[in-house]
Amino acid sequence: SVHFKAEGSFSEVDVGVRSCPKDYDVFVERGGISLFGAQIPLPIKGKGYLRCLYADAGLRIFVSPKDSPDRWEESGLIVVQMPMSSLDPAWKPPY
């Protein structure tokens, strides 16, 4: 399998907001790609900002609404997360 992993911490920007969209300040300590068991570190580290546009048990959609202060992440990045268990076992990537 191939997947991306980031480690760090996050905090709510406005604790009073209980639904999406919801904003978070994040701090990434490290990140990388796991490629069929091989770990490939990526040069990402530092403060960032994340907006959760949608979240339920089977799907989460995030966007980076602005550049990170150290520019390791640009605004406009969209991330969609879903559990592997929700994929059809016969599904193959289009490439």
Side-chain angles (χ1 to χ4, degrees):
S1 83
V2 177
H3 63 273
F4 170 80
K5 181 179 180 181
E7 297 177 29
S9 59
F10 64 94
S11 62
E12 299 171 89
V13 171
D14 184 348
V15 296
V17 174
R18 304 309 303 163
S19 61
C20 295
K22 184 155 179 70
D23 294 341
Y24 297 89
D25 288 316
V26 300
F27 185 82
V28 175
E29 294 178 22
R30 66 186 142 283
I33 296 174
S34 176
L35 183 61
F36 302 104
Q39 303 299 313
I40 303 166
L42 295 174
I44 60 171
K45 183 176 183 174
K47 292 181 181 180
Y49 194 80
L50 181 70
R51 178 167 294 146
C52 183
L53 299 175
Y54 179 84
D56 69 17
L59 181 70
R60 292 184 285 192
I61 302 172
F62 303 98
V63 66
S64 295
K66 56 186 176 181
D67 292 346
S68 63
D70 295 338
R71 301 217 21 106
W72 58 267
E73 184 172 85
E74 294 182 7
S75 67
L77 173 70
I78 297 172
V79 175
V80 176
Q81 294 178 336
M82 58 189 288
M84 292 291 293
S85 61
S86 66
L87 291 176
D88 180 340
W91 179 82
K92 301 284 186 227
Y95 44 87

